Amino acid sequence: MRAIQIHQWTRPEDLRETDAPGPSCGVGEVVIDVHAAAISHSLGLLVQGQYQRKPAFPFIPGNTVAGIVSATGEGATRFRIGDRVVASLEMGGLAAQAAAHEDNVFAIPEGMPFDEATTLNTSYNSVAAALTWPHVLNLQAGQALLVTGAGGGTGTAAVQIGKLLGARVMAAARSDARRQRALRHGAEWVVDADPATLRDAVREHLPQGVDAAIEPAGGALFDAALRCMAPMGRIVPLGFAGGDVPQIPANLLLVKNITVCGLYMGYYKIDARAEHAGRMRALFTTLGDWWSQGLIRPEIGLRLPLAEVSNGFAWLRERAHTGHAVIDMAAH
Ligand SMILES: NC(=O)c1ccc[n+]([C@@H]2O[C@H](COP(=O)([O-])OP(=O)(O)OC[C@H]3O[C@@H](n4cnc5c(N)ncnc54)[C@H](OP(=O)(O)O)[C@@H]3O)[C@@H](O)[C@H]2O)c1
């Protein structure tokens, strides 16, 4: 089958389409004919050996696919051949077919395009978990939510979901075009995501600070966001898109009763899959309902054939556009 296969750590710009054996359908698994596969910053790190997971060679990278179930393995009962699904994988996604455990496969709503469906497993599930799960932010209607990196994939999802949950959303982004975009997606206020000015800009609108924050950029922006928190506020360091892992000043947490909540979706989807399968199914059902009601609006910024996957990573690195990057398996 057509695939991207890695035999050694590789720069994303050197990835090439090749021919690889198709997946076998193990116990409890389904095979999916892939129509769309997501690419992301973390996938770019994975293929270079710079991610927390380091699969054995050779492997096919790709942790998110959307498509149609074409086979079901022994003991897999949740899906039938022909079902339209999105799936979370440990690897194997950048290929014409992929196998996934049925616990990590989720039905998608009628009419949902496959490329948009991939975003349910990239940005939207992470942000919905961060905002709604009781042990994470547990965001309530009327609370103030700060979203940094608001022009990015998770940032846009956070603005949309924060708004639909009834929160008052303050979006921080680095360009005026991205701030205007955040307003269109439901932000009540927008501010410049400059670490030097963020605290004052936020407090101009909310003197007490914000009740909750999602921070995907890391580095100095996380530190600035921490200083925007109201007493008893809760913040999620969702990612480090800027490259620097922030150090957390514990004195600030102590004096303001702030909670920093860790969230790594790979734990719920892969490491502790069996334990959290019900929680994940409920999350994807909610996301599907929100999409069907028009409450979340995924944006695809780039669609590419598999053979041009390296251009997709260049696009992600340059951040020239907004929206998600997706490999369209039907395109040549
Ligand atoms: N914890 C999890 O389970 C989980 C789940 C999903 C994603 N993530 C991680 O979350 C991070 C964001 O993902 P994404 O899909 O939203 O990426 P993205 O679409 O590239 O957006 C990242 C945003 O971060 C901001 N940013 C980047 N570099 C920055 C810098 N040096 N200083 C300040 N802001 C900067 C930019 O915001 P503006 O230009 O708009 O200001 C950019 O839009 C990634 O590291 C990803 O791996 C983690």
Side-chain angles (χ1 to χ4, degrees), residues 41-42 122-123 126 149-155 172-175 178 193 216-217 221 238-242 263-266 319:
H41 294 286
S42 51
T122 54
S123 301
S126 317
T154 55
R174 292 179 298 173
S175 75
R178 287 175 178 225
L221 201 55
L238 192 72
F240 315 121
L263 181 75
Y264 171 50
M265 292 307 287
R319 291 297 317 159

Side-chain angles (χ1 to χ4, degrees), residues 222-310:
F222 177 85
D223 195 63
L226 197 59
R227 291 166 203 280
C228 297
M229 304 308 298
M232 298 180 69
R234 300 170 73 83
I235 179 168
V236 173
L238 192 72
F240 315 121
D244 295 327
V245 178
Q247 303 303 305
I248 298 172
N251 59 324
L252 263 189
L253 311 190
L254 186 151
V255 295
K256 289 178 68 185
N257 292 287
I258 293 170
T259 302
V260 179
C261 311
L263 181 75
Y264 171 50
M265 292 307 287
Y267 170 76
Y268 296 98
K269 293 192 276 196
I270 306 289
D271 304 329
R273 182 188 69 219
E275 195 182 331
H276 295 286
R279 187 195 287 276
M280 292 308 301
R281 269 198 295 280
L283 192 68
F284 275 79
T285 300
T286 299
L287 291 173
D289 290 347
W290 284 344
W291 184 87
S292 298
Q293 293 166 47
L295 296 173
I296 55 173
R297 288 170 288 145
E299 281 186 5
I300 307 301
L302 184 72
R303 293 175 183 81
L304 285 175
L306 185 64
E308 291 177 32
V309 68
S310 56

Side-chain angles (χ1 to χ4, degrees), residues 72-86:
T72 57
E74 187 190 334
T77 55
R78 307 194 75 86
F79 295 94
R80 292 182 181 182
I81 292 170
D83 283 351
R84 300 172 78 251
V85 296
V86 60

Side-chain angles (χ1 to χ4, degrees), residues 27 89 120 130 179 194 200 277 306:
V27 175
L89 320 168
L120 299 186
R179 290 190 284 275
D194 177 350
D200 288 347
L306 185 64

Side-chain angles (χ1 to χ4, degrees), residues 33-299:
D33 285 350
V34 177
H35 285 239
I39 60 167
S40 62
H41 294 286
S42 51
L43 213 53
L45 295 175
L46 177 89
V47 301
Q48 296 177 79
Q50 294 172 6
Y51 193 59
Q52 56 252 41
R53 289 181 186 279
K54 293 188 174 47
F57 300 121
F59 70 93
I60 295 172
N63 58 13
T64 297
V65 299
I68 297 177
V69 173
S70 57
T72 57
E74 187 190 334
T77 55
R78 307 194 75 86
F79 295 94
R80 292 182 181 182
I81 292 170
D83 283 351
R84 300 172 78 251
V85 296
V86 60
S88 182
L89 320 168
E90 195 164 359
M91 58 189 142
L94 292 178
Q97 288 194 316
H101 193 280
E102 65 171 358
D103 284 348
N104 287 336
V105 180
F106 308 96
I108 59 174
E110 208 181 316
M112 183 175 212
F114 290 118
D115 52 10
E116 290 191 29
T118 64
T119 70
L120 299 186
N121 190 55
T122 54
S123 301
Y124 283 93
N125 72 121
S126 317
V127 167
L131 292 178
T132 64
W133 283 354
H135 63 291
V136 194
L137 291 181
N138 196 23
L139 188 69
Q140 302 297 311
Q143 288 187 323
L145 169 70
L146 172 65
V147 178
T148 59
T154 55
T156 302
V159 170
Q160 291 179 5
I161 297 178
K163 165 81 174 171
L164 78 86
L165 292 172
R168 306 183 71 192
V169 180
M170 169 94 62
R174 292 179 298 173
S175 75
D176 191 49
R178 287 175 178 225
R179 290 190 284 275
Q180 292 307 316
R181 185 171 168 276
L183 286 172
R184 291 196 297 278
H185 282 284
E188 181 170 340
W189 308 279
V190 285
V191 291
D192 187 2
D194 177 350
T197 58
L198 185 71
R199 182 180 181 280
D200 288 347
V202 167
R203 285 176 188 268
E204 206 173 290
H205 302 288
L206 294 163
Q208 284 292 309
V210 295
D211 305 297
I214 288 208
E215 207 298 293
L221 201 55
F222 177 85
D223 195 63
L226 197 59
R227 291 166 203 280
C228 297
M229 304 308 298
M232 298 180 69
R234 300 170 73 83
I235 179 168
V236 173
L238 192 72
F240 315 121
D244 295 327
V245 178
Q247 303 303 305
I248 298 172
N251 59 324
L252 263 189
L253 311 190
L254 186 151
V255 295
K256 289 178 68 185
N257 292 287
I258 293 170
T259 302
V260 179
C261 311
L263 181 75
Y264 171 50
M265 292 307 287
Y267 170 76
Y268 296 98
K269 293 192 276 196
I270 306 289
D271 304 329
R273 182 188 69 219
E275 195 182 331
H276 295 286
R279 187 195 287 276
M280 292 308 301
R281 269 198 295 280
L283 192 68
F284 275 79
T285 300
T286 299
L287 291 173
D289 290 347
W290 284 344
W291 184 87
S292 298
Q293 293 166 47
L295 296 173
I296 55 173
R297 288 170 288 145
E299 281 186 5

